[in-house]
Amino acid sequence: MTKTERIAEKLNSGVFPDSSELEYLLGDIPAGEEEFLFESARRAARSVFGNKVYIRGLIEFTNFCKNDCLYCGIRRSQSITRYRLTEDEILGCCETGYGLGFRTFVLQGGEDPWFNDSRLVHTVSAIRDEFPDCAITLSVGERSRESYKALKEAGADRFLLRHETADSCHYGKLHPGEMSFENRMRCLRELKELGYQTGCGFMVGSPYQTRENLIEDLHFIWEFKPAMVGIGPFIPAKGTPFWQEAKGSAELTLRLLSIIRLMRPDLLLPATTALGTAAADGRTRGILAGANVIMPNLSPENARKNYSLYDNKLNTGCEAAENLAQLKASMEAIGYEIVTDRGDSPEYINS
């Protein structure tokens, strides 16, 4: 039995590996062992979800942001064309998506003060009223507990908030001084307490990240028990302080997807746009590494173009919601099926 097989067996038994074992998986393991890792992750995902791949309709509704995170292409200091979608435009995206078969809508935006509780609650309520059989996911950053509670009561089901890093010192190197690791953790904790299907995640290969940081991230996910985890390789954005930094590795991202899948077979795990941007076949390889969620873009064309979190971000081909037939064909070619389903966390369904 190889070392990778022994570690996979440990994970299958519900035991978290020690640091040296995770160091091994994140290092230069033989190609055959890497393929075993991917295959094990696929089996783990299929044990819970079969060959289903869930789709989420991504609506990038504002690229205004009050924050100045050092890696982000829509940070406050960026000189870019700013936009906000109106409520009618957002509902129009949902209507288009519903017709295509989407049953989850993801409202993602910068931390835009214009979208205060009153406006965002009204929009969430309008989506809930018009599409009662759909799940509503929010990805709108750090807010107060009262704000999260009001949005939950308005009809939001899920919330995506990447923790970015489980190390407070590393967090400080990625964010401006007015943002804090403690507040990010407070937000994640309160989202779970309020009953959201809560997602966390991190960038692979972000500046100053060490292998020890990645192991801390895996341990955080193990302890936090999120419903969803979103990871993707770091891709620099022109004009940011990190523009000249090296890109994150698609290959390491795939390996981390498999490790996370083995840690949590019931997790909702996206093959992210960043992974598809970093590698031409990244989206397909992500599914084959254990992912089971894809988030095609429902945003209007001008919004897709201007929601540039990083350079060369994909928004055409299989990334575009209108090309769903192409995406279905690409998944069928590797033995998977795109389903019209809310795709809730099994833990949520069974609670």
Side-chain angles (χ1 to χ4, degrees):
M1 183 182 284
T2 67
K3 189 166 184 177
T4 297
E5 288 173 329
R6 289 196 298 273
I7 300 168
E9 192 173 87
K10 194 172 186 178
L11 282 163
N12 287 333
S13 302
V15 178
F16 191 75
D18 61 40
S19 293
S20 65
E21 290 171 321
L22 290 172
E23 283 263 9
Y24 180 79
L25 291 183
L26 298 175
D28 296 322
I29 63 175
E33 291 189 37
E34 183 177 60
E35 185 47 49
F36 174 82
L37 184 68
F38 295 154
E39 184 183 328
S40 299
R42 290 195 294 273
R43 283 200 303 269
R46 282 178 176 259
S47 72
V48 178
F49 300 101
N51 71 337
K52 294 179 179 179
V53 174
Y54 301 107
I55 51 171
R56 318 305 201 193
L58 181 62
I59 304 169
E60 296 161 333
F61 69 100
T62 175
N63 71 347
F64 283 85
C65 191
K66 68 180 183 181
N67 295 328
D68 222 13
C69 303
L70 278 67
Y71 51 81
C72 186
I74 64 168
R75 66 197 297 260
R76 184 180 69 229
S77 296
Q78 289 290 94
S79 178
I80 59 173
T81 302
R82 302 286 178 175
Y83 73 89
R84 294 183 181 104
L85 299 187
T86 66
E87 184 174 293
D88 284 345
E89 286 174 321
I90 293 170
L91 290 169
C93 293
C94 294
E95 186 174 354
T96 298
Y98 194 89
L100 290 169
F102 289 86
R103 294 299 178 266
T104 291
F105 303 119
V106 180
L107 269 63
Q108 179 175 292
E111 292 191 25
D112 182 353
W114 190 88
F115 279 99
N116 56 22
D117 288 350
S118 175
R119 290 188 175 106
L120 198 52
V121 162
H122 193 277
T123 298
V124 170
S125 296
I127 297 171
R128 172 56 60 228
D129 289 345
E130 195 162 333
F131 305 97
D133 57 331
C134 293
I136 301 172
T137 301
L138 299 178
S139 181
V140 292
E142 298 178 355
R143 301 174 79 96
S144 69
R145 184 188 183 95
E146 292 71 28
S147 177
Y148 290 146
K149 185 172 186 289
L151 291 164
K152 185 78 171 61
E153 290 172 349
D157 303 283
R158 308 174 187 146
F159 204 105
L160 305 175
L161 181 64
R162 284 185 170 183
H163 65 281
E164 301 297 2
T165 173
D167 180 88
S168 59
C169 181
H170 185 216
Y171 188 93
K173 293 177 179 179
L174 302 178
H175 300 90
E178 65 266 20
M179 297 181 70
S180 75
F181 176 78
E182 291 73 21
N183 192 53
R184 182 62 56 101
M185 291 295 127
R186 187 270 307 168
C187 290
L188 283 164
R189 185 175 62 252
E190 291 181 350
L191 286 164
K192 276 196 79 173
E193 289 170 357
L194 289 166
Y196 281 95
Q197 296 176 55
T198 305
C200 62
F202 56 92
M203 295 177 291
V204 179
S206 61
Y208 308 108
Q209 187 182 71
T210 64
R211 196 168 287 174
E212 289 71 26
N213 291 147
L214 290 174
I215 291 170
E216 285 181 282
D217 287 321
L218 293 172
H219 191 260
F220 171 75
I221 290 166
W222 179 269
E223 293 289 334
F224 184 64
K225 297 180 174 60
M228 304 165 277
V229 172
I231 68 169
F234 165 73
I235 302 174
K238 192 175 294 182
T240 66
F242 291 157
W243 166 234
Q244 299 297 331
E245 298 289 335
K247 293 180 181 177
S249 163
E251 284 67 30
L252 182 56
T253 302
L254 292 166
R255 209 178 292 181
L256 282 158
L257 281 172
S258 290
I259 295 168
I260 292 167
R261 171 58 69 203
L262 289 171
M263 284 167 48
R264 285 284 307 277
D266 62 344
L267 204 62
L268 294 164
L269 193 59
T272 59
T273 301
L275 182 56
T277 301
D281 55 353
R283 180 61 52 86
T284 300
R285 291 171 68 193
I287 298 298
L288 291 174
N292 66 332
V293 173
I294 294 177
M295 294 169 54
N297 205 317
L298 279 170
S299 310
E301 188 175 343
N302 69 309
R304 296 180 202 181
K305 183 174 59 180
N306 291 315
Y307 199 82
S308 49
L309 298 177
Y310 45 82
D311 270 35
N312 302 311
K313 176 171 167 277
L314 291 185
N315 56 44
T316 59
C318 288
E319 303 294 332
E322 60 269 20
N323 292 331
L324 197 54
Q326 182 183 340
L327 178 61
K328 286 180 178 178
S330 70
M331 290 298 105
E332 288 169 3
I334 59 171
Y336 286 82
E337 175 193 8
I338 296 288
V339 293
T340 301
D341 192 314
R342 279 172 52 114
D344 286 298
S345 163
E347 182 181 7
Y348 176 84
I349 293 170
N350 297 327
S351 64

